[in-house]
Amino acid sequence: MNAGIIGIGRYVPEKVITNFDLEKRMDTSDEWIRTRTGIEERRIAADDVNTSHMALAAAEKAIADAKIEPADLDMILVATVTPDRPFPSVACMIQEQLGAKKAAAMDISAACAGFMYGLITAKQFIETNSYKHILVVGVEKLSRITDWEDRNTAVLFGDAAGAAVVGPVSEGKGILSFELGADGTGAKHLYQDEYIIMNGREVFKFAVRQMGESSLNVLRKAGLKKEDVDFLIPHQANIRIMEAARERLELPVEKMSKTVHKYGNTSAASIPLSLVEELEAGKIKDGDVIVMVGFGGGLTWGAIAMRWGR
Ligand code: COA
């Protein structure tokens, strides 16, 4: 029994904050932000839109796309570091709102690698035949924990949600291999006190190394070569980090997802959000080999090689 993605959905808030808007609020410039990060604008959720609202909106789309009913869900996993409150989990909140009565529900805290942790957790239940349909959501309202006086971090982040229904798919399709990891000794480089605190240079070095290595590791585990990869979906933190991963895989520019310019770093939402956009743009086709790779605070990381399709 192979586990794969059988439905996807996303939600982005309407409000756009451009680099030029930020120039008016802090000592920064569009030029600095674009050349250092690739970010041009980001979405910010309204005060009355919480993490659970965004998660619900993305989840409803993924469930409809999978052509199942909420009542068919066996489990809900929500990857987030910005839950509405410490408990109940966002997963329990949307379980009620969806009417997913038989679904077990919990949140996963793995920062920007959270969606990878969620997919790989879901895979275990599907492949042991324990569950058939698992909703995995990556969602953040990072604007709530961003210090809008701190130019080192405020220019980087945005709010969004992405969701996937994971279920059994035909032989040869779905998740072919994975890698998960963590290094708590690096916790000091990226964490939340009241707001996000970050040592950008240290995170950058770690990310460049880890994104490339994890991508190559999942290929090796799946018995694939670099030239077998049709599309790369890296965590959208910074275009320079993403480019380093692409170069390690020796892929042309058009084979890498890039949404960071529109949304900034949306943490756990960034990979599923990009996946939805690339599918809508027709860049990923049935049977394509895709690599998804993410890293984040913890430090955490995760990667998947998969063959797209049901
Ligand atoms: N606007 C203008 N200047 C800024 C700025 C901003 N928004 N933010 C920082 N600077 C300044 C710094 O204060 C520093 O000034 P100094 O040299 O006088 O101290 C200067 O720009 C250069 O900083 P540096 O750290 O060398 O820049 P960088 O090339 O490493 O880029 C990051 C900074 C944050 C973009 C980069 O380190 C990065 O992307 N790191 C990873 C972050 C990340 O991905 N986090 C999320 C993980 S999920």
Side-chain angles (χ1 to χ4, degrees), residues 154-210:
V155 302
L156 302 178
F157 301 107
D159 302 333
V165 176
V166 180
V169 294
S170 45
E171 218 186 304
K173 295 214 169 142
I175 299 171
L176 306 172
S177 65
F178 70 90
E179 170 170 285
L180 281 181
D183 177 9
T185 65
K188 56 185 177 287
H189 300 314
L190 181 57
Y191 61 95
Q192 184 196 350
D193 201 352
E194 183 185 0
Y195 297 120
I196 299 169
I197 313 280
M198 187 182 76
N199 179 342
R201 276 176 213 179
E202 284 303 319
V203 176
F204 192 94
K205 279 191 278 180
F206 154 74
V208 164
R209 191 184 64 246
Q210 200 56 54

